[in-house]
Amino acid sequence: MKLTIIGTGYVGLVTGTCFAEVGHHVCCVDNDDAKVKMLQSGRIPIYEPGLEELVQKNAAAGRLSFSNNTAEGVAKSDVVFIAVPTPPQPDGSVDMSFIERVARDIAAAMTDYKIIVDKSTVPVQTGDKVAETIKRYCKARVDFDVVSNPEFLREGFAVEDLMKPDRIVVGVRTQRPVPALKEVYAPFNAPIIVTDINSAELIKHASNSFLALKISYINAISVICEATGANVQEVANGMGMDERIGRRFLNASLGFGGSCFPKDLSAFIKIAEQLRYDFGLLKEVQKINAAQMDRFVKKIADTLWVLKGKKIGVLGLAFKQNTDDIRTSPALELCHRLQKEGAILRVHDPKAMEKAKADLHNVTYVDDMNEVAEGCDALVIATEWEEFKKLDLERARKSLSHPIMFDGRNLFDPQEMERLGFIYKSIGR
Ligand code: UDX
């Protein structure tokens, strides 16, 4: 099929590339000229495993192209996906101006029937507003359908999640666009759920909020574990074996971050408020998440007593593993908190150091993870990178003035760390 994607952020770029990979002809549109040029030259502006190779392969095969012209994209395809940012506003509500702008641009360019598919995460009832806008601004007065098709990919695993989705959600106002959407997704061999448009929009916010709730739940359990000498990982394993609960997203940590969970939680709370429902449950999820960071900082301060002038090594700056994304990163927040207390930091991240440099100043960026502990009073794990598990612990122990490690991601076994001579403090164990 011929498909156009407006917006080449995480969702747009990965979606467009994977659509091309399964054989569709895809035009990705972005209004950022520099980004379009970069993509046209086969490079990508983010780190995402496997993505750059797929972009190059599909561009070379003539199935994937990039343009800065929405009208050109709309003319080329029957199905147009919107994948532009929906950033938070200061009060937590969603800034819909990018979606509205794109809806108007699409409307202005339409000369025949189009299916306009919203992939961005939006408040429930956005589909109706997009449809109204298109109707208002479409001079050609042609037929169209608006569809909601939320994306559930995780950064760092985006290609994998897109190529092998658990489910495809298609929310429609009429049945007319359903066969086309089924054709788009047929190569992915995943169950397709067709719902009304409001339900599809809600599925996205409800899913992300539930996952955040799962993390805050296990983080709350971690507090009980610390107070009683239980081990949160054992508890999570035991809970997770119940198929109704499941083990995933039950890893206790210094808190969740990223460009989705914090923003989607605030947005969902705000949406509920506008619908006159006080979503206290989700407010508690936010509270637990914030408290988890406070508790971790306190743990470090209580152990080291005075932080002013202390040298601390920090492993991890990205908000999670396999990405260079530092947006709302708990690791960066931790660095800022430690700096505020007067600590001197040596930091390392396998992929996020370049992006971190714009936000985190007056620290030493260290290229080799095994050199971070050099001359430090303590070492902190802030991001769950797999490769941190391969840290040379013997060298780290010798490099530290005192062998103290704070692990905000529970990467190591407490007994083993004690055996190796570390004072090892993790989460809920
Ligand atoms: C999330 C959703 O998973 C995805 O479906 C949606 O499309 C976008 O939002 P993402 O933000 O890329 O994806 O990352 P995710 O893997 O969900 O992790 C989010 C945060 O939670 C990270 O900071 C991560 O470290 C943290 N986390 C995750 C935990 O602290 N514990 C866990 O068990 C899992």
Side-chain angles (χ1 to χ4, degrees):
M1 293 185 83
K2 290 199 172 101
L3 308 174
T4 288
I5 321 275
I6 317 267
T8 59
Y10 260 100
V11 170
L13 182 58
V14 182
T15 307
T17 308
C18 291
F19 280 167
E21 176 67 11
V22 298
H24 299 308
H25 284 261
V26 183
C27 174
C28 288
V29 177
D30 204 292
N31 61 5
D32 181 338
D33 291 344
K35 203 167 168 190
V36 169
K37 281 207 180 78
M38 184 182 204
L39 290 163
Q40 282 169 337
S41 73
R43 287 173 303 122
I44 63 171
I46 48 173
Y47 171 75
E48 185 61 41
L51 185 60
E52 194 160 76
E53 294 83 339
L54 279 192
V55 168
Q56 289 165 359
K57 176 184 156 196
N58 285 285
R63 287 189 301 266
L64 182 63
S65 61
F66 299 95
S67 164
N68 58 3
N69 189 329
T70 303
E72 181 193 321
V74 172
K76 268 187 183 169
S77 307
D78 300 326
V79 188
V80 181
F81 291 81
I82 302 177
V84 294
T86 47
Q89 305 196 93
D91 70 347
S93 65
V94 181
D95 176 357
M96 299 300 289
S97 58
F98 296 98
I99 299 256
E100 200 254 1
R101 179 77 247 168
V102 168
R104 280 161 49 186
D105 290 348
I106 294 172
M110 276 166 39
T111 53
D112 54 1
Y113 174 74
K114 300 285 175 197
I115 300 171
I116 296 108
V117 187
D118 175 43
K119 260 209 169 293
S120 305
T121 302
V122 292
V124 59
Q125 298 178 324
T126 294
D128 292 340
K129 299 235 166 54
V130 169
E132 260 171 49
T133 305
I134 292 177
K135 205 166 167 195
R136 206 171 289 153
Y137 287 89
C138 179
K139 289 205 188 83
R141 303 261 165 250
V142 290
D143 271 1
F144 67 91
D145 274 297
V146 171
V147 175
S148 165
N149 170 221
E151 182 47 61
F152 301 98
L153 62 81
R154 292 162 302 158
E155 290 181 22
F157 303 89
V159 172
E160 186 185 322
D161 284 352
L162 219 129
M163 295 304 285
K164 290 188 212 130
D166 291 339
R167 78 310 204 180
I168 306 291
V169 175
V170 174
V172 291
R173 288 150 50 95
T174 73
Q175 290 301 305
R176 187 174 173 188
V178 174
L181 266 295
K182 285 195 170 163
E183 202 180 327
V184 169
Y185 282 107
F188 295 92
N189 292 319
I192 299 177
I193 306 163
V194 179
T195 68
D196 64 274
I197 198 158
N198 290 338
S199 301
E201 289 167 342
L202 266 180
I203 286 170
K204 175 68 195 237
H205 269 131
S207 298
N208 266 6
S209 300
F210 189 80
L211 290 168
L213 180 148
K214 240 184 136 177
I215 301 169
S216 275
Y217 187 81
I218 202 66
N219 279 337
I221 299 290
S222 80
V223 180
I224 309 288
C225 287
E226 284 183 19
T228 54
N231 179 327
V232 75
Q233 264 171 332
E234 306 283 5
V235 176
N237 291 342
M239 286 171 65
M241 283 174 81
D242 185 330
E243 277 182 18
R244 294 170 303 175
I245 298 173
R247 177 64 178 83
R248 296 175 74 189
F249 282 69
L250 281 183
N251 292 322
S253 66
L254 75 171
F256 59 75
S259 65
C260 291
F261 286 172
K263 162 180 97 101
D264 289 354
L265 271 175
S266 304
F268 207 24
I269 290 167
K270 200 75 198 167
I271 291 162
E273 191 184 300
Q274 283 157 359
L275 298 168
R276 297 201 179 80
Y277 176 66
D278 177 14
F279 218 145
L281 178 67
L282 296 186
K283 290 180 187 167
E284 199 56 35
V285 169
Q286 291 180 317
K287 253 167 73 184
I288 293 169
N289 200 48
Q292 202 66 1
M293 174 63 71
D294 294 342
R295 290 171 48 78
F296 194 62
V297 174
K298 186 169 182 304
K299 200 177 275 184
I300 298 172
D302 284 352
T303 309
L304 300 181
W305 188 26
V306 174
L307 288 181
K308 197 169 174 202
K310 287 271 160 61
K311 268 196 179 170
I312 299 179
V314 179
L315 287 171
L317 298 169
F319 84 98
K320 59 181 271 192
Q321 81 280 44
N322 285 357
T323 183
D324 62 352
D325 197 344
I326 53 159
R327 288 175 292 175
T328 330
S329 168
L332 271 193
E333 187 189 335
L334 177 70
C335 289
H336 289 305
R337 297 272 294 259
L338 294 174
Q339 274 190 325
K340 220 172 136 204
E341 299 293 326
I344 300 156
L345 305 183
R346 288 170 62 78
V347 303
H348 169 82
D349 188 282
K351 294 287 172 198
M353 291 209 282
E354 274 320 304
K355 287 195 176 159
K357 279 174 189 166
D359 183 83
L360 183 63
H361 310 288
N362 303 320
V363 303
T364 307
Y365 286 92
V366 183
D367 286 331
D368 180 349
M369 69 171 175
N370 285 309
E371 286 174 10
V372 172
E374 219 64 59
C376 286
D377 298 287
L379 192 58
V380 178
I381 310 271
T383 306
E384 68 273 42
W385 280 95
E386 265 304 303
E387 53 206 271
F388 291 164
K389 291 183 183 165
K390 297 193 195 101
L391 188 73
D392 184 340
L393 292 168
E394 182 56 21
R395 179 169 165 190
R397 191 178 58 80
K398 284 186 188 145
S399 306
L400 291 162
S401 66
H402 277 287
I404 305 175
M405 187 193 278
F406 301 95
D407 184 353
R409 297 292 186 167
N410 288 352
L411 296 191
F412 298 104
D413 175 38
Q415 273 159 16
E416 179 63 10
M417 292 301 280
E418 229 165 82
R419 197 187 62 75
L420 290 171
F422 278 92
I423 296 166
Y424 176 71
K425 306 209 171 184
S426 54
I427 309 277
R429 304 185 302 174

